[in-house]
Amino acid sequence: DAGITQSPRHKVTETGTPVTLRCHQTENHRYMYWYRQDPGHGLRLIHYSYGVKDTDKGEVSDGYSVSRSKTEDFLLTLESATSSQTSVYFCAISGADMVMNTEAFFGQGTRLTVV
Amino acid sequence: AQSVAQPEDQVNVAEGNPLTVKCTYSVSGNPYLFWYVQYPNRGLQFLLKYITGDNLVKGSYGFEAEFNKSQTSFHLKKPSALVSDSALYFCAVRGYNNNDMRFGAGTRLTVKP
């Protein structure tokens, strides 16, 4: 398995509280992604990063922010958690080589419940 | 932005029969196309990809996929299904010079003995 670690793996939080999820990689890959997985919606891209301090929005970015201060770490923050953000969150990484390293490798996921 | 459609929520096949899981895509320029599989309570595992070259690509566990540019499709196939192939399958697309990767809603494949 690719060296991707997500933490925490499970979290229950209250509505209105801030939450930060961490993704750590040991592969030195350029691209990092945060997705959420919900039944009937598949995986939807929240934010992604194409380098240190370089990030961009995905298709469901409202209510989320990200930061990447080091190549190996990509943080996802829910500024004020809502019940609609209850989901399973996946981090993924991929390389910069557009032929050899185009596929993404996924972490094990973080199950977040907002009550 | 690019997008992927998986028209079937569920595909059921009998063990030993061929299987097809459908995927169509929309992207500007040449696509990079992928299939992933997800087993219960696990992350996604990469199966195969199309970047360029032969339209028929082969991947892990006997799966293959056929790229059809005119139909903007990338269907996943396997000649003989196994019960252990039962899982959730996702198609994904990434555009050349595009940084993000978009996924379909997934197709649940059930292979019955």
Side-chain angles (χ1 to χ4, degrees):
Chain A
D1 289 344
I4 311 170
T5 305
Q6 291 185 230
S7 58
R9 293 292 312 281
H10 302 271
K11 187 171 182 65
V12 180
T13 192
E14 293 185 350
T15 299
T17 61
V19 177
T20 295
L21 308 183
R22 180 180 183 239
C23 178
H24 177 79
Q25 62 147 327
T26 58
E27 306 295 323
N28 201 35
H29 279 346
R30 178 180 177 185
Y31 298 108
M32 298 186 76
Y33 309 85
W34 277 108
Y35 293 89
R36 59 178 289 175
Q37 183 177 17
D38 304 289
H41 293 280
L43 273 79
R44 291 181 291 177
L45 181 65
I46 304 171
H47 282 278
Y48 63 98
S49 169
Y50 46 97
V52 174
K53 299 191 189 305
D54 291 324
T55 65
D56 206 348
K57 295 179 179 180
E59 53 194 316
V60 289
S61 59
D62 287 348
Y64 300 96
S65 62
V66 290
S67 66
R68 191 170 179 197
S69 59
K70 299 184 291 185
T71 298
E72 57 266 34
D73 289 326
F74 192 33
L75 304 181
L76 176 70
T77 298
L78 289 66
E79 304 290 348
S80 177
T82 68
S83 58
S84 64
Q85 294 176 312
T86 292
S87 186
V88 179
Y89 291 85
F90 284 101
C91 175
I93 63 174
S94 68
D97 186 324
M98 293 307 286
V99 175
M100 296 300 294
N101 287 335
T102 53
E103 63 267 30
F105 297 96
F106 282 79
Q108 291 297 94
T110 296
R111 185 173 296 276
L112 176 67
T113 303
V114 183
V115 298
Chain B
Q2 55 266 35
S3 64
V4 168
Q6 293 181 243
E8 301 158 317
D9 293 336
Q10 175 89 33
V11 170
N12 298 313
V13 298
E15 187 175 30
N17 282 0
L19 70 86
T20 298
V21 183
K22 296 179 180 178
C23 171
T24 59
Y25 66 90
S26 173
V27 68
S28 297
N30 294 325
Y32 291 172
L33 296 159
F34 309 86
W35 275 102
Y36 291 82
V37 60
Q38 185 180 35
Y39 297 101
N41 300 313
R42 300 290 299 275
L44 275 73
Q45 298 177 29
F46 169 72
L47 275 180
L48 52 78
K49 66 181 177 183
Y50 171 82
I51 303 300
T52 186
D54 290 342
N55 290 340
L56 185 65
V57 295
K58 296 185 182 297
S60 307
Y61 312 120
F63 283 94
E64 57 190 26
E66 185 169 12
F67 170 66
N68 187 316
K69 188 172 184 177
S70 63
Q71 296 185 5
T72 61
S73 67
F74 189 57
H75 301 331
L76 181 70
K77 301 180 180 183
K78 188 174 183 182
S80 179
L82 300 173
V83 172
S84 57
D85 292 331
S86 298
L88 190 56
Y89 290 82
F90 290 98
C91 182
V93 64
R94 182 178 180 181
Y96 186 78
N97 284 334
N98 243 328
N99 293 315
D100 69 51
M101 184 177 292
R102 301 293 176 102
F103 284 77
T107 298
R108 185 164 300 281
L109 173 67
T110 301
V111 182
K112 298 183 178 179

